[in-house]
Amino acid sequence: MPSMLKRTCCVGPCRSRLCKRFPTLPAFVVCYGISGIWTMAMGSLLGSQITSIERHLGISSSKTGLIMSSNEIGYLVAVLFGSHFGKYLHIPRLLSVSGVIFGVMAMVMSLGKLMQPKVWQEATVINSNPNGTENGFTKYLCLPENMDDNITSGTNLTDLDLSEPRPYPSGAASSPAALPWAFWVFVLASVVCGMVKSYRIPLVTHYVETNIKDKTKSGLYLGNSFTAMILGPPIALLLGSFVSSLPVDLSDTTMSKSDQRWIGAWWLGFVIVGVACCLFSLPIAFFPRHIRLAKLDKKEHEKSKLGKLQAVKRAFLEMPKSLWRMFRNPLYVLCVVCSVIEGMAFSGWFAFSQKYIETQFNKTSQQVSLTTGLIIIFSLAIGTFLGGLITSRLKLAFRGCAIITMIIAAATLALDSTYLVFGCQNSDVVGLQSQISSAACGCGDDVFLVCGDNNQDYLSPCLAGCLNSTSKIFNNCTEINGGGSARPGLCSLDCPFFIPYMVIFSAGMLLGTTGIVPAYMMIARSVAQQDQALAVGVSYFSTTLMGVLPSPILFGKVIDSTCLRWSAEGGYCMLYDREMFRYLINGLSLGLRSVHILVLSVVLLLVRYGRGTAGNVTSTETKTTNIVKTRGKK
């Protein structure tokens, strides 16, 4: 038994021949990339399920923005200490444990399913009643104040003694009720997820940089790892499309997915991501502290021989010195400013991109997630790989990375500006104004958008004069051709810009992901190698604190300001001003990206006139510069 254990064990003091062959740097990059897929999938999965989560919990976009920002709060708590002190620990095991904790927290988020959504209770009860005149569904139908509740399909409004019409409510959000417990579960789990993922990328960079002989190939290795991780968002979108097509309680229902009471099985996606994250994080723990095949420098060997107490003491003493060296470097400071601005512009826009497409083009969550997932899965993978390949093949130093980042930022800005044009007009909804016709017969405050068979939108079945319903449509609507029908949701838009928008969306994603590795290496190579792990950690800390953290809340507030009609409880928006939504969200993002380009211009000017110093990373570019200077002196 001991001999068998020795042959198969790779953890702790026991080592087998397999363990000596398995731990190579390419194997580590592959294992971490697969694990990172599911870590990266969390944000996109949450973004694709925003509509269902808002309806389930009864919260607004600013509250879901707070859930996303809580992830960054946890990130801020742990990123500096984790990225600095983590390099003195066993990095592979630390990454493995972090991935398992992340997966567990994802499954904790799914506990929000235990909270029964009110709109779903009403919907399931109503769908079991063919007449639709009992329970909660009565409030959506045409019921004059002097009218008996028992209405038959043969009743016509012209035969009834209608009271004088009442003005329809303005639709402003009423005072929301106390936030549900499920909201706080999301917040707390997001904080923990942010803490355990904060130091992962800085430590991976440090692990690769200290275990590779040729430093110019580190960009290729990191690019391959990032390429694998970048598959997380499209996989999450495809998964989101699948779970959005299932009812929240996984029971059979005849409800249409266009019904504003429809809630997809969002919680199932979190369970799947959590389980996958736990399983694929375990193999990382089997890698050693140092890759045996790599030639470590003398300083790293000395660090590995230090005792734990001495290593911790040395870490505390080196951290202030590293911070002082970094913040005295104007190039690094400006790179951090660029990262902050870009983080604010992208994170808020991308967090609500699914909701934006749903609202702008009148698509369901399932349609949007499936479309975007299929389109960008290739653009994201190809773009990230190209970024790493360009950085490695051209052997770019700081200046080269800055130029590539500048070109990509300018091209992306030009593409994204077309979003202001590629959009749809507001739907003409009857009842949106304060006064309504006498056929509204005393409608209440409830908003339930329907599309009549005359291709006209109504703010509620009551405003369409509908007297009863079946499982999917409203019948006997006197305002619709004297007795037509209506279905839940808005009518299809006569808008030709959905396909052009998705083409530009894909091209923008391709360009943006191509710039990930150059921008990342620009930050890492603006400082000396001994400060790289902390420099990346400080950059992410600053970007999260001043960019990513407030961005979803800011964008959520902007989205809420475009709401025309809120639910009766004031929890979530039922109807948005589509044009204002487009101008405000895209205008805010484009403005921030313009400032980002201006700061990048300052960085290139400093490099051009020698006002800053970058890290001493060997490259063809730096060698050529030195040769030119030497010949000039001769």
Side-chain angles (χ1 to χ4, degrees), residues 25-292:
L25 199 56
F28 173 81
V29 169
V30 170
C31 288
Y32 177 76
I34 296 175
S35 173
I37 288 176
W38 303 102
T39 304
M40 295 292 292
M42 178 65 73
S44 296
L45 178 64
L46 180 61
S48 69
Q49 301 303 305
I50 280 181
T51 301
S52 291
I53 293 174
E54 287 179 359
R55 292 176 181 176
H56 194 141
L57 306 186
I59 57 178
S60 62
S61 294
S62 60
K63 297 299 185 298
T64 52
L66 180 59
I67 292 176
M68 298 178 189
S69 296
S70 61
N71 182 273
E72 313 309 328
I73 293 174
Y75 189 99
L76 290 173
V77 171
V79 63
L80 285 182
F81 290 99
S83 60
H84 181 68
F85 296 108
K87 64 184 179 182
Y88 297 98
L89 302 176
H90 196 297
I91 291 179
R93 293 180 190 172
L94 181 60
L95 295 175
S96 178
V97 172
S98 300
V100 172
I101 295 175
F102 191 95
V104 171
M105 289 300 103
M107 289 184 280
V108 169
M109 290 183 186
S110 66
L111 295 178
K113 188 261 181 184
L114 300 177
M115 175 183 169
Q116 183 67 32
K118 182 179 179 181
V119 292
W120 188 260
Q121 285 178 319
E122 293 178 353
T124 51
V125 171
I126 294 163
N127 283 337
S128 64
N129 181 12
N131 295 327
T133 57
E134 296 179 0
N135 302 313
F137 203 58
T138 305
K139 63 184 179 181
Y140 297 121
L141 298 177
C142 181
L143 297 176
E145 294 180 342
N146 62 340
M147 183 176 177
D148 187 71
D149 287 343
N150 296 322
I151 302 177
T152 61
S153 60
T155 308
N156 193 296
L157 287 180
T158 56
D159 301 329
L160 301 173
D161 182 15
L162 297 176
S163 59
E164 293 188 3
R166 300 188 308 180
Y168 200 77
S170 61
S174 58
S175 300
L179 292 172
W181 62 266
F183 170 80
W184 298 112
V185 169
F186 263 102
V187 170
L188 294 177
S190 296
V191 169
V192 177
C193 285
M195 292 176 65
V196 298
K197 81 172 186 178
S198 60
Y199 44 79
R200 290 171 66 87
I201 293 181
L203 292 186
V204 169
T205 302
H206 180 75
Y207 192 77
V208 171
E209 288 280 325
T210 56
N211 287 283
I212 191 171
K213 296 179 181 180
D214 187 359
K215 301 299 181 182
T216 61
K217 294 183 178 180
S218 60
L220 182 60
Y221 279 109
L222 292 174
N224 290 334
S225 181
F226 291 165
T227 299
M229 289 190 295
I230 211 68
L231 294 175
I235 289 176
L237 294 176
L238 296 177
L239 177 61
S241 175
F242 170 70
V243 298
S244 295
S245 65
L246 304 175
V248 65
D249 56 1
L250 301 181
S251 61
D252 294 333
T253 178
T254 57
M255 189 190 309
S256 170
K257 295 179 179 63
S258 300
D259 194 320
Q260 289 182 309
R261 298 164 300 172
W262 174 267
I263 300 177
W266 58 267
W267 57 270
L268 183 60
F270 287 94
V271 172
I272 295 174
V273 169
V275 172
C277 194
C278 290
L279 291 177
F280 289 106
S281 295
L282 292 177
I284 303 176
F286 293 94
F287 285 88
R289 183 188 293 267
H290 300 293
I291 301 295
R292 294 178 180 272

